Amino acid sequence: MNRLRLDNLSEIPVQIRPAYDPRAVKTGILHLGIGSFHRAHQAVYTDDAIALGDDAWGICGVTQRSATVRDLLAPQDDLYSVLERDRGFEHLRVIGSVRDVISAPSQPERLIDAFSDPAIKIVSLTITEKGYHCDSDGLLLVDEAIQSDLDGSTPLTAVGRVVRGLDARRRGGSGPVAVMSCDNLPSNGDYLKGA
């Protein structure tokens, strides 16, 4: 069996492969935290939306700690499969909505470039509650990673990366962007804004 890639998608049954050409998809979403949850849910919903005809919503995923997801998806042109199972029902499909993956720790310049891209209209996050480095009083200023971010070093936290990226976007005149927390937190938008 050949490895899943763009150049062999035509060998995959039509009901399994994306209902569009992933090569034609433009990147409009920058997503921090491209773990299993995101790939099995949000990227699938985005795949459905692209299949309806709007090719401006491809995803550039961002790994926060390890380059493992990037390194696993890169040889597959960022394609991967999802298997849904439910009481005797199984549906396998290839997801084409993820068009690039950046490792924030090892590619900080690429991340800033992605934030500064005028085509990016949404910056979304699934980084878990711990990823915000906050408590009920706000940002944990005593946290070593937050201290490093505040010292002007290459950001270590998702919040630091968002702040640095939004600043680069503002300085570059790249236009407005929606920033949204997709984490299961009460008032997650306010939580992110507070951070």
Side-chain angles (χ1 to χ4, degrees), residues 31 37 42 124-126 132 180-185 188:
H31 182 80
F37 175 80
Q42 292 167 303
S124 56
L125 299 92
T126 49
Y132 291 90
M180 58 185 200
S181 167
C182 300
D183 286 297
N184 188 16
L185 299 167
N188 57 8

Short mmCIF file of all heavy atoms in Angstrom, two decimals, residues 31 37 42 124-126 132 180-185 188:
data_model
loop_
_atom_site.label_atom_id
_atom_site.label_comp_id
_atom_site.label_asym_id
_atom_site.label_seq_id
_atom_site.Cartn_x
_atom_site.Cartn_y
_atom_site.Cartn_z
N HIS A 31 -4.31 27.56 13.42
CA HIS A 31 -4.81 26.88 14.61
C HIS A 31 -3.68 26.42 15.51
O HIS A 31 -2.85 25.60 15.10
CB HIS A 31 -5.69 25.68 14.24
CG HIS A 31 -6.24 25.03 15.46
ND1 HIS A 31 -7.33 25.53 16.13
CD2 HIS A 31 -5.82 23.96 16.17
CE1 HIS A 31 -7.57 24.80 17.19
NE2 HIS A 31 -6.66 23.84 17.24
N PHE A 37 -7.78 16.00 19.12
CA PHE A 37 -9.12 16.57 19.20
C PHE A 37 -9.39 17.46 17.99
O PHE A 37 -10.41 17.33 17.32
CB PHE A 37 -9.32 17.37 20.49
CG PHE A 37 -10.66 18.05 20.54
CD1 PHE A 37 -11.80 17.35 20.88
CD2 PHE A 37 -10.78 19.39 20.20
CE1 PHE A 37 -13.04 17.96 20.89
CE2 PHE A 37 -12.02 20.01 20.20
CZ PHE A 37 -13.15 19.29 20.56
N GLN A 42 -12.63 19.68 14.59
CA GLN A 42 -12.65 20.96 13.88
C GLN A 42 -12.13 20.84 12.45
O GLN A 42 -12.70 21.42 11.54
CB GLN A 42 -11.84 21.99 14.66
CG GLN A 42 -12.51 22.37 15.96
CD GLN A 42 -11.58 23.14 16.85
OE1 GLN A 42 -10.50 22.67 17.18
NE2 GLN A 42 -12.00 24.33 17.24
N SER A 124 -7.34 30.27 15.87
CA SER A 124 -8.09 29.48 16.85
C SER A 124 -7.13 28.67 17.72
O SER A 124 -5.98 28.45 17.34
CB SER A 124 -9.11 28.58 16.14
OG SER A 124 -8.47 27.74 15.19
N LEU A 125 -7.64 28.27 18.87
CA LEU A 125 -6.80 27.55 19.82
C LEU A 125 -7.56 26.38 20.45
O LEU A 125 -8.72 26.54 20.83
CB LEU A 125 -6.36 28.45 20.98
CG LEU A 125 -5.53 29.67 20.68
CD1 LEU A 125 -6.42 30.88 20.48
CD2 LEU A 125 -4.57 29.95 21.80
N THR A 126 -6.90 25.23 20.56
CA THR A 126 -7.31 24.14 21.44
C THR A 126 -6.03 23.73 22.17
O THR A 126 -5.26 22.90 21.70
CB THR A 126 -7.92 22.93 20.68
OG1 THR A 126 -7.07 22.56 19.60
CG2 THR A 126 -9.31 23.24 20.16
N TYR A 132 -3.18 28.04 28.93
CA TYR A 132 -3.35 29.49 29.06
C TYR A 132 -2.48 30.09 30.15
O TYR A 132 -2.32 31.30 30.20
CB TYR A 132 -4.83 29.81 29.32
CG TYR A 132 -5.68 29.53 28.11
CD1 TYR A 132 -6.26 28.28 27.92
CD2 TYR A 132 -5.88 30.51 27.14
CE1 TYR A 132 -7.02 28.02 26.79
CE2 TYR A 132 -6.63 30.25 26.01
CZ TYR A 132 -7.20 29.00 25.84
OH TYR A 132 -7.94 28.73 24.72
N MET A 180 -10.10 33.05 18.52
CA MET A 180 -11.12 32.33 19.29
C MET A 180 -10.56 31.11 19.98
O MET A 180 -9.86 30.30 19.39
CB MET A 180 -12.30 31.96 18.41
CG MET A 180 -12.00 31.12 17.23
SD MET A 180 -13.50 30.92 16.25
CE MET A 180 -13.05 29.47 15.33
N SER A 181 -10.90 31.03 21.26
CA SER A 181 -10.58 29.85 22.04
C SER A 181 -11.64 28.81 21.76
O SER A 181 -12.83 29.08 21.86
CB SER A 181 -10.57 30.18 23.53
OG SER A 181 -10.54 28.98 24.28
N CYS A 182 -11.22 27.62 21.43
CA CYS A 182 -12.14 26.50 21.21
C CYS A 182 -12.02 25.48 22.33
O CYS A 182 -12.46 24.34 22.20
CB CYS A 182 -11.87 25.85 19.86
SG CYS A 182 -12.05 26.99 18.48
N ASP A 183 -11.41 25.88 23.44
CA ASP A 183 -11.27 25.00 24.58
C ASP A 183 -12.54 25.00 25.41
O ASP A 183 -13.28 25.99 25.45
CB ASP A 183 -10.07 25.44 25.43
CG ASP A 183 -8.76 25.09 24.77
OD1 ASP A 183 -8.51 23.88 24.59
OD2 ASP A 183 -8.00 26.00 24.41
N ASN A 184 -12.78 23.89 26.07
CA ASN A 184 -13.97 23.72 26.88
C ASN A 184 -13.77 24.40 28.23
O ASN A 184 -13.49 23.76 29.25
CB ASN A 184 -14.26 22.22 27.06
CG ASN A 184 -15.57 21.96 27.73
OD1 ASN A 184 -16.42 22.84 27.81
ND2 ASN A 184 -15.75 20.76 28.24
N LEU A 185 -13.88 25.71 28.22
CA LEU A 185 -13.71 26.54 29.41
C LEU A 185 -14.91 27.47 29.52
O LEU A 185 -15.37 27.99 28.50
CB LEU A 185 -12.46 27.42 29.29
CG LEU A 185 -11.12 26.74 29.14
CD1 LEU A 185 -10.06 27.75 28.72
CD2 LEU A 185 -10.72 26.10 30.46
N ASN A 188 -14.78 31.05 27.53
CA ASN A 188 -13.43 30.85 26.99
C ASN A 188 -12.89 32.07 26.24
O ASN A 188 -11.70 32.33 26.28
CB ASN A 188 -13.36 29.59 26.13
CG ASN A 188 -14.33 29.57 24.99
OD1 ASN A 188 -15.00 30.56 24.70
ND2 ASN A 188 -14.41 28.44 24.31
#
